[in-house]
Amino acid sequence: QTVVTQEPSFSVSPGGTVTLTCGLSSGSVSAAYYPSWYQQTPGQPPRTLIYGTYTRSSGVPDRFSGSILGNKAALTITGAQADDESDYYCMLYLGSAIMMFGGGTKLTVL
Amino acid sequence: VQLLESGGGLVQPGGSLRLSCVASGFSFDTYAMNWVRQAPGKALERVSDTTSSGYNTYSADSVKGRFTFSRDNSKNTLYLQMNTLRVDDTAVYYCARRAWNSWYFDLWGRGTLVTVSS
């Protein structure tokens, strides 16, 4: 059973840079897995940030960027702000119409 | 452009519930639609994918045989029929649009809460 892995939690100082990653329990993540990233604050639906590894959704600030780092997909926040404190979920396309979320990363800005 | 879910509520274990998701502001019949759920304090879980025509549906193993998925393109509505509900089906159920010819979600509803409890 394939599992999409994310760091459970991360913290960053205001103005700092943080990179969250998204991996696979077996194997490497590449652009072929079409990584996407979602931001969610408590009580709200997810918001789409990044799709197709690199592309920002409409209205997403350019301090959010996506990439492949080594064998994982990555979401980097440059110049973190207080309202970036959220849960972040990645999702990978595993083929055969299967799309799977990771367990999410709780980001604290302090 | 929006998605609006309805039909959530409190139901006893073993019971049934039907959720609806009404789409507006876009050509509903050209998009695959999904249900994504989130149990309290837990991660997102993709439950189903229904193609634009409704002919093909993917469903997660956790709901196979209990949940059925359908859509009525004439009513711009996606449905989720949940039967034999279990306590661990308790979650907020989101309707999500899969981006055209792609593998990510580009539009989300606000969700509807389903609570399974005796």
Side-chain angles (χ1 to χ4, degrees):
Chain A
Q1 174 86 11
T2 300
V3 175
V4 177
T5 61
Q6 295 185 249
E7 299 88 357
S9 62
F10 232 117
S11 64
V12 62
S13 300
T17 297
V18 63
T19 297
L20 312 182
T21 67
C22 176
L24 282 169
S25 55
S26 56
S28 298
V29 177
S30 67
Y33 286 87
Y34 216 82
S36 53
W37 292 89
Y38 305 86
Q39 178 191 48
Q40 188 182 35
T41 53
Q44 297 298 315
R47 170 196 182 197
T48 304
L49 293 177
I50 301 283
Y51 61 91
T53 308
Y54 310 103
T55 306
R56 276 186 299 275
S57 285
S58 176
V60 174
D62 60 7
R63 66 177 184 274
F64 293 91
S65 62
S67 64
I68 299 290
L69 285 181
N71 62 350
K72 296 182 179 182
L75 172 71
T76 299
I77 307 172
T78 304
Q81 299 182 2
D83 60 3
D84 295 336
E85 186 161 295
S86 302
D87 294 327
Y88 291 86
Y89 293 94
C90 72
M91 186 175 71
L92 300 177
Y93 175 58
L94 303 182
S96 301
I98 299 171
M99 297 151 70
M100 187 173 292
F101 288 101
T105 297
K106 184 177 184 62
L107 180 67
T108 301
V109 180
L110 51 71
Chain B
V1 178
Q2 67 175 1
L3 301 169
L4 186 62
E5 303 92 337
S6 63
L10 175 63
V11 61
Q12 292 190 335
S16 298
L17 209 57
R18 186 172 90 152
L19 306 184
S20 301
C21 168
V22 177
S24 59
F26 66 96
S27 299
F28 180 71
D29 60 0
T30 63
Y31 287 90
M33 297 297 297
N34 282 238
W35 289 100
V36 175
R37 70 181 180 180
Q38 187 171 37
K42 301 296 185 183
L44 300 168
E45 178 190 14
R46 180 183 180 234
V47 174
S48 73
D49 180 288
T50 303
T51 55
S52 58
S53 65
Y55 288 149
N56 292 298
T57 297
Y58 158 88
S59 61
D61 288 344
S62 57
V63 303
K64 269 194 174 83
R66 300 187 300 120
F67 290 10
T68 57
F69 312 93
S70 61
R71 61 191 294 164
D72 185 339
N73 286 343
S74 69
K75 295 182 178 179
N76 290 346
T77 302
L78 178 73
Y79 299 104
L80 168 53
Q81 176 66 45
M82 302 184 290
N83 298 327
T84 319
L85 280 160
R86 310 188 303 220
V87 171
D88 62 0
D89 293 318
T90 295
V92 175
Y93 285 75
Y94 296 102
C95 174
R97 186 178 77 178
R98 178 156 60 85
W100 189 81
N101 201 32
S102 193
W103 297 104
Y104 72 98
F105 301 125
D106 66 351
L107 182 66
W108 295 80
R110 298 202 62 80
T112 187
L113 175 62
V114 172
T115 302
V116 184
S117 174
S118 54

